[in-house]
Amino acid sequence: MSKRTLVGITLLLIALLGASIGHAQDSGKRVALIIAQGGLGDRSYNDSAFAGLTLAAQDFGVEVVPVESSDPVGEAEQLLRGAAEAGFDLVITLEFSHFDPLARIAPDYPDTLFAIVNVEVDQPNVISVLFQEQQGSFLAGALAALVTTDGDIPHTNPEAVIGVLGGVQSTGIDVFLDGYLQGACAVNPDIQVLFTYSNDFGDPTIGREIAVAQHEQGADVVFQVAGGTGAGVIDAAKDNDFWAVGVDSDQDYLAPGYVLTSMLKRVDIAVYDLIRQLVNDELEGGAVTYYGLAENGVGLSDMVYSRHLIPRDYMDQINTMREGILSGDIDVIDTRQLTEDQRTALYADRTCAGIDALHAEMMGS
C-alpha cells in the first residue's frame, strides 16, 4: 500500500472517529490528540488527556479532534502523517510506542508541531512531555506497605505481600512499578511485591484474573497500571475483599471503600498546558517538559472514600515522604535512566534487596 493511500485512510479515520470540538474562529488553532492503546472510556490515562483537551477547547476557542484507532501501535505512521497532512497546528500523541515513527516523520513536516507523552524524541519540532511517575508511585507503594499487615484496617491480611499489574513490560510502565517497589521497601524491607503483566490495556477480564491470582498469593493491595484492563483489578478488589490502587485519574469512586488511593498522573494538565502555550505562541519545539510532585503532575488522590479508615500516623508518614522527595532527601530512582546492565540486574532480583543493591551501585558510581 502506498504512502498516499495510507494517508488517505488516516484522514478518513480522523473524519469518522475524531469529533471536532471547539470553535477555530476564536484562536484559529487546530489540535489533534492521538489516543493510545486502551482507547477512550478507559477511565484512566486516555480519558484524563481527553478531559484536558476538551477544557482547552472551551477555554481557548481551539478546534480539537481526538483520533482513535483500533491499532494505534501498528498504524503509527498513518496516524501521525494523516494528522500532519490534515493541517493541524499541533499533533499530540499519547502512544508511547510512537517515539520511533515520530522521529522519522517529524522532519517531513517542519511547520507542524508535535508533542509526545512519556518518551523523549529529539527533533526541533517535537515537544516531549515526561512525568516523574516514580515519585507518585513511591508514595502509593509506601501507603500499601503501611496498610497491608494492619489488622485494624478492612480488607487486609497478616502477610506482608502486595501486588502490581503492568499493561506491558516497557520502561514507560516499569517506572510506575519500580517506584511502587521502592516506596514499599522504604517502609518494610521484608515486604514481597508480586509483579505481573497483562500484555493488554483494554481487557478487564484479564485484569480481574491477575488480581485474583495475586490475592490468592497473599496480596491484599494491588496497584494497576494497565489502562482499561485495570478496571478488572478494581472490580476484583470489591468482589474479593482486598484493596486496589487506581492510576492516572482519580479512580477511587469506581469501588468506594475498596480503592485505597489512586496514583494521579495529570495528563490533563499537560495537554491543557500544551494548548495554552500554542495559543499564546509560547510553544517551542525541541523542548522537554517534566511533571512531577513539584509541578502537581503526580501524586495521590484525596482518598475521599478511604482516608477515614487509615490511621493519621500513616498519612503523616506519607506526607513526610512527599516532603523528603521534594527536598531531595529521598532519592527515588527513575529506572528509565538505568543502563541495560543495571536494569537486567534489578529485574533478576526485583525485591527490596535488589533495590538496595542498585542504590549502593549508583552511590558508588
Side-chain angles (χ1 to χ4, degrees):
M1 187 178 291
S2 70
K3 183 184 295 184
R4 182 181 300 275
T5 302
L6 291 174
V7 169
I9 290 174
T10 304
L11 292 177
L12 178 61
L13 181 71
I14 290 172
L16 292 175
L17 298 179
S20 178
I21 304 166
H23 302 284
Q25 65 266 27
D26 291 347
S27 69
K29 302 295 186 181
R30 302 176 66 234
V31 178
L33 179 71
I34 299 175
I35 305 301
Q37 298 174 68
L40 291 175
D42 64 357
R43 297 183 290 189
S44 184
Y45 175 67
N46 288 313
D47 283 359
S48 176
F50 183 70
L53 183 78
T54 55
L55 182 59
Q58 271 190 338
D59 287 356
F60 304 121
V62 176
E63 180 185 352
V64 297
V65 177
V67 181
E68 286 194 270
S69 164
S70 60
D71 184 11
V73 178
E75 295 181 349
E77 183 165 348
Q78 300 97 295
L79 292 167
L80 292 164
R81 286 193 183 278
E85 292 284 347
F88 289 97
D89 300 285
L90 172 63
V91 178
I92 306 170
T93 178
L94 302 174
E95 177 54 55
F96 171 86
S97 67
H98 285 183
F99 68 93
D100 188 46
L102 181 57
R104 296 194 310 269
I105 289 165
D108 295 342
Y109 303 95
D111 296 329
T112 301
L113 284 171
F114 295 89
I116 186 167
V117 183
N118 295 332
V119 66
E120 185 173 346
V121 172
D122 185 15
Q123 289 293 336
N125 57 333
V126 176
I127 301 96
S128 303
V129 179
L130 302 178
F131 286 81
Q132 301 293 336
E133 296 99 338
Q134 75 279 3
Q135 296 178 347
S137 297
F138 181 100
L139 299 180
L143 181 60
L146 287 167
V147 165
T148 182
T149 56
D150 190 332
D152 292 329
I153 297 175
H155 323 315
T156 63
N157 61 51
E159 299 178 58
V161 181
I162 59 177
V164 61
L165 163 64
V168 295
Q169 183 156 25
S170 65
T171 56
I173 294 297
D174 284 347
V175 68
F176 288 86
L177 279 57
D178 297 326
Y180 182 72
L181 172 64
Q182 291 176 74
C185 293
V187 169
N188 181 1
D190 296 320
I191 198 166
Q192 180 182 5
V193 181
L194 306 177
F195 294 85
T196 312
Y197 296 93
S198 60
N199 296 313
D200 197 295
F201 286 94
D203 191 337
T205 300
I206 294 176
R208 170 185 283 273
E209 292 171 355
I210 291 172
V212 169
Q214 289 191 347
H215 180 54
E216 290 174 347
Q217 296 175 69
D220 49 17
V221 184
V222 179
F223 181 28
Q224 60 86 9
V225 189
T229 297
V233 174
I234 294 173
D235 288 342
K238 182 177 180 180
D239 293 343
N240 295 271
D241 194 32
F242 61 90
W243 288 107
V245 174
V247 74
D248 295 333
S249 299
D250 185 344
Q251 298 182 318
D252 298 11
Y253 75 95
L254 294 178
Y258 291 90
V259 181
L260 177 63
T261 187
S262 294
M263 203 300 280
L264 305 180
K265 176 177 174 178
R266 298 300 303 273
V267 193
D268 56 333
I269 290 177
V271 169
Y272 184 92
D273 282 351
L274 286 168
I275 296 173
R276 176 184 56 78
Q277 293 173 52
L278 175 73
V279 171
N280 292 334
D281 295 322
E282 298 170 350
L283 193 61
E284 296 183 3
V288 180
T289 304
Y290 292 89
Y291 290 85
L293 283 176
E295 298 78 20
N296 292 318
V298 299
L300 300 185
S301 62
D302 290 336
M303 299 171 57
V304 172
Y305 304 103
S306 61
R307 183 179 288 271
H308 63 291
L309 301 172
I310 309 303
R312 181 184 295 273
D313 175 60
Y314 291 177
M315 299 311 303
D316 288 344
Q317 290 184 58
I318 296 301
N319 289 331
T320 298
M321 290 179 184
R322 182 182 186 278
E323 293 304 315
I325 295 170
L326 288 171
S327 68
D329 291 339
I330 296 177
D331 178 27
V332 187
I333 298 171
D334 180 350
T335 51
R336 290 169 295 197
Q337 307 303 320
L338 298 181
T339 66
E340 194 59 39
D341 287 345
Q342 288 172 327
R343 191 174 293 112
T344 298
L346 174 61
Y347 293 173
D349 185 17
R350 216 170 185 185
T351 64
C352 295
I355 285 293
D356 286 345
L358 178 60
H359 270 290
E361 179 190 343
M362 296 180 73
M363 289 289 288
S365 61

